[in-house]
Amino acid sequence: SGRQEAKGTGVGKKILLLTTGIDLGRLRTVELFAAKEDHQVTIWRFTTWWWGAKTATRVEVVESVMWGFKLPFGCVSDDLYVHLDLRVVYLVLRRTWDVVILYGYGSFTTLITTLAARARGIPVVLWSDARIDYEMTRRAPYRIYKSLLHRLANRLVASGTAARKFLEKTAGAGHRIPIAPYAIENEAFLAQLASWIPAASKTRQDLGIGPATVTLLYVGRLVRPKGVEELLCAYQKVRRSVSESALVLVGDGEDGDYFRGVASQLGLSDVHFVGAVPYDRVAQYYAISDVFVLPSHRDVWAKVVNEACLAGLPLVVTADVGAHYDLVLQGQNGFVVSTHDVDALAEPLIRLCQNAEIRQEMGRRSREVIRKWTMEAAANVLGDVIKGVGTEQAPCPPGTRLLHKA
């Protein structure tokens, strides 16, 4: 893919970013960061299903097609990608790079590339989304591998508080770990939301939802690890307390028919399965909603929480939604509840459905929380890190243990 010219200072560096997968939001953050100082960024990625190279406009994307495969979900680990591409090592050894950035942990390619970069004296920055409460329950080999990469890196960057806690626990002393917010394109989403607000009454009418009906919104895949079954059971309790309520589920997945059957068995006539919709239409359903709920069993982040904050909604999420560390302030703009606990999920939903004043105040607070959580802020953090990297050695005090206990 080509690289567009950018207006910067002309003091940019040549940067290699290594990743198994980077979503469109993070790609845009990297492009902002690259444009700021005219950095020349090459992204070397191992997977092909996250986004197409054609979406990159300010960075070069190189596809790795060498040996690699992703193990099936639940086999050994829930997210294990085995990959080896020695061409990346060749790139590091033969070309002049000012910095190597590791976005995520990758596989064998990431480790040997890091070792090659350190051998050449090229500074390494590791940018992590990993969540402490999940990572510290993984098997020791995974933690040892990630701790090793932490120790080899000159600088560490976290995507949020949960990732910073994990890095602090496993990287040893001496690191100052900034947060580059896991953000979405706020202005673009707000523009979509504004375009759908005038049609909110019609959207409700099309779904069969009355104008005064309190509407709960779920956005995500219809799969069991997202906690949709618990949500349906919790909503049954909500209906007993608040008759004028509705639940809208946006998205689809392999368990969609099963959940439709559960809703039918529970006698829930006010559950609306919208199905999968294009991204530019998702805001249509935020525009008609009063409360956002995400009962996931595990989400490293969950960008739908960003969207819900931008939409000015109160939030109810489980403790296994990584975004809750930064975007859900308990009792201020929402509630964090125990995972798998139907009663714990139903209680704040009932409270919010019964009190419009609390919904409005929490929604206002959600907008305040998300205001500074932007791609621009993330790009600025990366820029500051790159400016300072290389002026210090990777902190790895002699005699320190490689793996800290959970």
Side-chain angles (χ1 to χ4, degrees):
S1 61
R3 184 189 290 117
Q4 292 182 349
E5 293 299 320
K7 295 180 180 179
T9 63
V11 295
K13 297 182 178 181
K14 292 184 64 176
I15 298 171
L16 175 65
L17 190 152
L18 204 62
T19 182
T20 52
I22 185 170
D23 66 20
L24 185 58
R26 279 316 206 187
L27 172 62
R28 294 291 177 252
T29 298
V30 171
E31 291 186 315
L32 284 172
F33 151 73
K36 184 177 179 182
E37 301 289 348
D38 282 347
H39 294 309
Q40 298 179 39
V41 178
T42 297
I43 297 179
W44 189 287
R45 66 173 187 157
F46 307 152
T47 61
T48 58
W49 57 83
W50 286 66
W51 42 265
K54 64 182 180 181
T55 62
T57 60
R58 180 54 180 79
V59 300
E60 180 184 13
V61 178
V62 179
E63 304 286 348
S64 175
V65 294
M66 298 296 285
W67 178 76
F69 59 91
K70 184 177 176 67
L71 293 182
F73 189 90
C75 176
V76 181
S77 170
D78 61 351
D79 188 20
L80 181 60
Y81 190 81
V82 181
H83 186 276
L84 180 63
D85 191 342
L86 295 177
R87 293 178 302 163
V88 187
V89 181
Y90 178 80
L91 272 180
V92 171
L93 294 177
R94 293 297 301 271
R95 292 179 61 178
T96 303
W97 302 99
D98 295 304
V99 181
V100 171
I101 299 177
L102 313 175
Y103 180 63
Y105 299 88
S107 192
F108 301 123
T109 308
T110 302
L111 177 59
I112 60 178
T113 301
T114 302
L115 293 171
R118 291 307 305 267
R120 284 207 58 196
I122 302 172
V124 176
V125 175
L126 190 146
W127 184 9
S128 176
D129 298 336
R131 254 181 53 199
I132 185 169
D133 43 3
Y134 170 67
E135 295 295 336
M136 299 311 293
T137 63
R138 299 187 68 168
R139 297 176 182 177
Y142 298 104
R143 287 186 285 158
I144 291 172
Y145 167 70
K146 292 186 176 183
S147 297
L148 176 59
L149 285 177
H150 295 167
R151 298 301 181 93
L152 289 170
N154 294 76
R155 291 294 304 273
L156 301 171
V157 179
S159 292
T161 298
R164 181 159 66 182
K165 288 178 178 292
F166 175 55
L167 294 174
E168 288 173 342
K169 192 172 186 68
T170 58
H175 275 293
R176 182 181 65 83
I177 304 171
I179 291 177
Y182 204 128
I184 66 173
E185 293 183 283
N186 291 359
E187 295 305 320
F189 180 82
L190 287 171
Q192 292 173 12
L193 183 66
S195 71
W196 283 109
I197 287 176
S201 296
K202 185 178 186 307
T203 301
R204 278 178 169 259
Q205 185 178 4
D206 290 345
L207 289 173
I209 298 174
T213 300
V214 181
T215 304
L216 312 180
L217 176 68
Y218 165 88
V219 179
R221 292 179 301 131
L222 296 187
V223 293
R224 300 191 192 206
K226 288 289 188 177
V228 178
E229 186 167 6
E230 291 96 317
L231 174 57
L232 292 170
C233 293
Y235 181 63
Q236 184 184 44
K237 296 178 179 292
V238 172
R239 288 284 295 147
R240 292 170 183 164
S241 300
V242 186
S243 59
E244 203 166 352
S245 62
L247 172 62
V248 175
L249 297 100
V250 178
D252 211 341
E254 60 192 45
D255 296 323
D257 289 339
Y258 171 76
F259 294 136
R260 292 179 181 90
V262 170
S264 178
Q265 290 174 8
L266 294 175
L268 300 175
S269 59
D270 290 315
V271 175
H272 305 271
F273 290 87
V274 173
V277 300
Y279 180 70
D280 59 0
R281 279 192 55 209
V282 172
Q284 177 180 7
Y285 300 97
Y286 284 100
I288 67 167
S289 299
D290 300 290
V291 179
F292 178 81
V293 56
L294 184 64
S296 182
H297 302 168
R298 176 178 177 256
D299 262 307
V300 173
W301 182 260
K303 290 176 291 183
V304 290
V305 178
N306 299 57
E307 296 169 357
C309 284
L310 289 166
L313 297 180
L315 316 169
V316 179
V317 306
T318 53
D320 278 281
V321 174
H324 90 261
Y325 284 86
D326 299 282
L327 300 184
V328 185
L329 307 182
Q330 185 77 329
Q332 296 183 45
N333 74 321
F335 300 95
V336 181
V337 302
S338 300
T339 309
H340 303 288
D341 191 331
V342 171
D343 290 335
L345 181 61
E347 182 180 351
L349 293 176
I350 293 170
R351 180 182 174 188
L352 288 167
C353 285
Q354 291 175 335
N355 196 315
E357 185 177 345
I358 292 178
R359 293 199 304 270
Q360 292 170 4
E361 177 58 27
M362 285 192 167
R364 183 191 63 79
R365 189 75 176 97
S366 285
R367 290 192 183 97
E368 291 179 353
V369 168
I370 200 67
R371 187 174 298 154
K372 295 182 179 179
W373 203 264
T374 65
M375 289 182 178
E376 290 77 11
N380 289 338
V381 168
L382 287 179
D384 291 341
V385 168
I386 294 302
K387 285 178 183 177
V389 77
T391 60
E392 71 284 320
Q393 295 298 313
C396 187
T400 57
R401 292 169 58 187
L402 181 63
L403 178 65
H404 292 229
K405 292 183 178 180

